[in-house]
Amino acid sequence: MKVVKFKLKKTINVLLACLTALPLMLTPTHVSAASDANINLSSEKQLIKGFGGINLPAWIGDLTPAQRETAFGNDQNQLGFSILRIYVDPDSNNWYREVATAKRAIEKGAIVFASPWNPPSSMVETFNHNGDTNAKRLKYDKYAAYAQHLNDFVTYMKNNGVDLYSISVQNEPDYAHDWTWWTPQEILRFMKENAGSIQGTKVMAPESFQYLKNISDPILNDPQALANMDILGAHTYGTQISNFAYPLFKQKGAGKELWMTEVYVPNSDNNSADRWPEALDVSYHMHNAMVEGDFQAYVWWYIRRQYGPMKEDGTISKRGYNMAHFSKFVRPGYLRVDATKNPDTNTFVSAYKGDNKVVVVAINRGTSATSQKFVLQNGNASTVSSWITDSSRNLASGTPLTVSNGAFTAQLPPQSVTTFVANVTGGNSGGNTGSGTTYEAETGTSLTEAGIETIYPGYTGSGYVNFNAMTGSAIQWNGINNTTTGTKNVKFRYALESGTRNLDIFVNGTKVISNEPFPATGSWSTWVEKTIQVPMNTGTNTLKVVTTGSEGPNIDSVNVTAAQ
């Protein structure tokens, strides 16, 4: 049954891909003069959560231990994936299948989220869907039981060493020929009445197969449903680039995350993973997802497949190397910054910053080499490293480039993708956010079971705050002032010797993020920065962080800027 479905889906997507490509084929092939690619380090866009794919042992077998290292490691000949998607089997007796790979992914620094295709069979009924009398849906009196089923999966994974970052309500509810259908009204009802009972992880919805807005618009337009949704997940099978933007999400989704959670491009043909220049469509699709769609995550379908980033023999494919140009260098917590997205007819550019670095991904879809000038604004660098994938090379190291007067010029080979990385100084390069306003943790705050210390060096201001060893310890900043309402970047400066400690985040008394992880920095005197995004109002706001385990990291300060 699955095979029939995927053949049907592949046929549909080939047609959609042809429609998508038609305007490109009809575009005149004249070459325009290249413009400078300006990288504005102070113009911040979305916070990047990561890149990855799905592991689905029930359908194609588990990743081997070696393949897990290739997928989630970030050394040479590894993909650097930072997100793993897993399957919520309707039969809880099969949940053990997901544990081994998920645990290793987390050990390598990835986050894990889960998607269900079907509820348990006892909760499902058949109905007539456009003439298909065997179509399936969740029984209307089983919504609460289904929410508990999802809760049980979250608990099972946690008890087996896997803290899920998120769980989805349903995979492709609007393309459910072989699984469970949901109408927009049914999804809305579940999100309003039942999603709030899912505990211990973020809730994702609706994972439309083609990013159709009719199934997510009702959630965004309903305050209760929206409050119960943490991540808007979408698939982009055949989605026109012109439909990647989502103005209603921009308007209503402050503080929510926007993820692209499944796709394969341009096709799923057998042994197509190394075709060139076809594989270049992968990085081009990722560029548009980041720049036109403002997605914070990009998740492929099968990690290991003959058309995927990893081939069946466990080696990285051309498609995988195209993904790696993003996943290995644009790390979780980086921010996309404004860049000239199309400086020449066939050249496409996106840029990101984090860890005092700037990362620029440049794609040349043309059949001739081109010379491209990149200009750094509100920051500078001295040298630039580069990695190139083209017809004959896979993430090959390029010759270092020199920055002069804040600019460098690079040759982009024909039909290639190049990633540039530079350590940035000055301007807005110091971490993951721009200048903004810094609020110390030890002044202007209300402390609950927490105290001010000066034991470990490297803090700013007059000290830092150490949580007491108990759940519910808290710091509240009482006077965060904004000139506009909307999504804000909040950069925490913190230290943590070992392990990971989680905090709940409240804005103006409302919890906006649950169990946000703060990983170890290596020592109590090693201070690092971590950026989250939350909604805030015009005027004075409160920001509160609360321990959810027995402890939290030491907090030095927060820096608040507007996300543009």
Side-chain angles (χ1 to χ4, degrees):
M1 185 164 66
K2 298 183 187 71
V3 174
V4 173
K5 177 261 167 186
F6 283 118
K7 285 184 178 178
L8 173 62
K9 187 169 183 178
K10 187 174 80 171
T11 301
I12 290 174
N13 284 316
V14 168
L15 293 173
L16 290 168
C18 291
L19 291 172
T20 303
L22 186 58
L24 297 174
M25 292 187 285
L26 297 178
T27 301
T29 58
H30 69 276
V31 178
S32 60
S35 303
D36 292 350
N38 295 313
I39 314 298
N40 187 350
L41 291 165
S42 68
S43 181
E44 298 167 350
K45 305 300 181 181
Q46 73 267 33
L47 177 70
I48 303 301
K49 303 301 293 188
F51 304 87
I54 196 170
N55 182 50
L56 220 167
W59 293 5
I60 64 166
D62 199 0
L63 294 177
T64 68
Q67 290 165 358
R68 294 167 193 155
E69 302 306 303
T70 301
F72 302 104
N74 200 21
D75 294 328
Q76 190 173 6
N77 299 320
Q78 295 180 331
L79 285 163
F81 282 174
S82 49
I83 297 178
L84 170 65
R85 185 184 185 210
I86 63 174
Y87 172 59
V88 183
D89 198 299
D91 183 352
S92 61
N93 292 318
N94 295 326
W95 288 351
Y96 71 92
R97 295 170 173 169
E98 311 301 325
V99 172
T101 293
K103 284 184 69 173
R104 187 56 182 155
I106 288 175
E107 289 169 357
K108 301 295 287 186
I111 57 177
V112 179
F113 78 101
S115 298
W117 271 247
N118 289 297
S121 57
S122 61
M123 302 181 191
V124 175
E125 65 183 4
T126 58
F127 75 111
N128 189 327
H129 181 269
N130 297 331
D132 178 8
T133 56
N134 291 316
K136 295 185 292 186
R137 70 183 174 201
L138 178 64
K139 294 177 181 178
Y140 286 172
D141 62 350
K142 296 296 183 181
Y143 278 37
Y146 181 55
Q148 185 58 51
H149 169 72
L150 299 181
N151 265 324
D152 291 343
F153 184 82
V154 174
T155 300
Y156 176 89
M157 295 304 291
K158 184 177 182 65
N159 290 342
N160 284 275
V162 178
D163 283 325
L164 290 178
Y165 185 82
S166 175
I167 193 164
S168 172
V169 171
Q170 172 68 44
N171 171 79
E172 296 182 350
D174 50 350
Y175 190 91
H177 301 281
D178 289 336
W179 45 81
T180 304
W181 291 96
W182 296 67
T183 66
Q185 293 73 30
E186 289 163 352
I187 285 278
L188 177 64
R189 176 195 156 189
F190 184 87
M191 293 305 298
K192 287 178 65 173
E193 299 178 7
N194 305 100
S197 68
I198 299 172
Q199 301 296 314
T201 192
K202 299 177 190 290
V203 175
M204 176 185 291
E207 290 202 274
S208 165
F209 88 103
Q210 202 185 353
Y211 203 13
L212 300 179
K213 311 304 191 296
N214 68 309
I215 200 163
S216 48
D217 280 354
I219 299 172
L220 293 171
N221 284 318
D222 186 282
Q224 185 57 55
L226 181 60
N228 290 335
M229 182 190 76
D230 301 295
I231 304 173
L232 197 158
H235 301 177
T236 50
Y237 286 107
T239 309
Q240 300 276 335
I241 293 171
S242 60
N243 289 330
F244 275 21
Y246 200 173
L248 186 64
F249 182 85
K250 287 276 192 182
Q251 177 188 350
K252 299 290 185 74
K256 307 297 180 179
E257 297 176 26
L258 182 63
W259 288 30
M260 200 296 295
T261 57
E262 185 188 312
V263 78
Y264 55 77
V265 286
N267 53 53
S268 60
D269 294 351
N270 288 338
N271 303 311
S272 59
D274 284 329
R275 286 186 200 146
W276 197 264
E278 184 179 276
L280 195 61
D281 288 349
V282 174
S283 57
Y284 178 62
H285 192 268
M286 295 176 76
H287 164 87
N288 285 303
M290 298 293 108
V291 174
E292 305 296 342
D294 290 302
F295 286 108
Q296 297 174 257
Y298 187 99
V299 184
W300 188 266
W301 180 223
Y302 291 125
I303 293 174
R304 186 198 68 228
R305 208 62 173 159
Q306 67 269 19
Y307 54 86
M310 184 190 299
K311 292 177 288 187
E312 294 290 358
D313 64 2
T315 60
I316 298 173
S317 68
K318 282 286 191 182
R319 291 185 179 188
Y321 282 112
N322 272 258
M323 288 192 71
H325 273 270
F326 290 87
S327 58
K328 287 181 72 69
F329 304 98
V330 183
R331 302 303 295 168
Y334 281 33
L335 285 162
R336 186 173 74 85
V337 295
D338 189 51
T340 306
K341 63 183 179 181
N342 187 202
D344 198 3
T345 304
N346 294 306
T347 304
F348 301 87
V349 174
S350 62
Y352 312 82
K353 70 175 183 180
D355 298 329
N356 294 313
K357 297 176 183 177
V358 60
V359 178
V360 180
V361 184
I363 302 163
N364 178 11
R365 302 184 80 210
T367 55
S368 301
T370 186
S371 178
Q372 181 62 57
K373 183 179 180 181
F374 299 88
V375 180
L376 301 179
Q377 300 174 336
N378 298 302
N380 206 345
S382 56
T383 59
V384 179
S385 301
S386 64
W387 288 265
I388 303 160
T389 297
D390 58 12
S391 61
S392 61
R393 291 175 287 184
N394 295 320
L395 266 180
S397 180
T399 302
L401 303 170
T402 300
V403 179
S404 178
N405 296 320
F408 65 95
T409 299
Q411 300 299 312
L412 305 180
Q415 296 178 324
S416 69
V417 53
T418 306
T419 297
F420 303 96
V421 180
N423 292 320
V424 184
T425 58
N428 290 308
S429 62
N432 291 344
T433 64
S435 55
T437 302
T438 297
Y439 301 87
E440 296 291 341
E442 73 278 7
T443 57
T445 54
S446 300
L447 304 181
T448 303
E449 300 298 341
I452 300 169
E453 286 186 355
T454 58
I455 298 172
Y456 298 104
Y459 57 83
T460 60
S462 58
Y464 57 86
V465 172
N466 180 6
F467 294 99
N468 290 344
M470 61 180 63
T471 300
S473 299
I475 309 170
Q476 178 168 299
W477 289 265
N478 297 309
I480 295 179
N481 294 300
N482 296 307
T483 57
T484 59
T485 296
T487 299
K488 309 299 176 183
N489 295 322
V490 178
K491 175 179 64 179
F492 288 86
R493 190 172 190 267
Y494 77 97
L496 176 59
E497 186 173 54
S498 62
T500 296
R501 296 179 179 179
N502 297 335
L503 298 175
D504 285 344
I505 315 293
F506 295 77
V507 174
N508 299 324
T510 299
K511 184 190 293 187
V512 294
I513 299 178
S514 297
N515 289 308
E516 181 66 27
F518 285 74
T521 68
S523 78
W524 291 113
S525 57
T526 300
W527 301 91
V528 303
E529 295 163 345
K530 173 188 174 68
T531 301
I532 63 169
Q533 291 187 320
V534 299
M536 286 188 179
N537 299 326
T538 302
T540 302
N541 295 259
T542 63
L543 173 70
K544 186 177 183 180
V545 292
V546 183
T547 58
T548 62
S550 61
E551 257 284 18
N554 289 346
I555 303 290
D556 182 36
S557 64
V558 294
N559 177 281
V560 181
T561 57
Q564 299 179 14

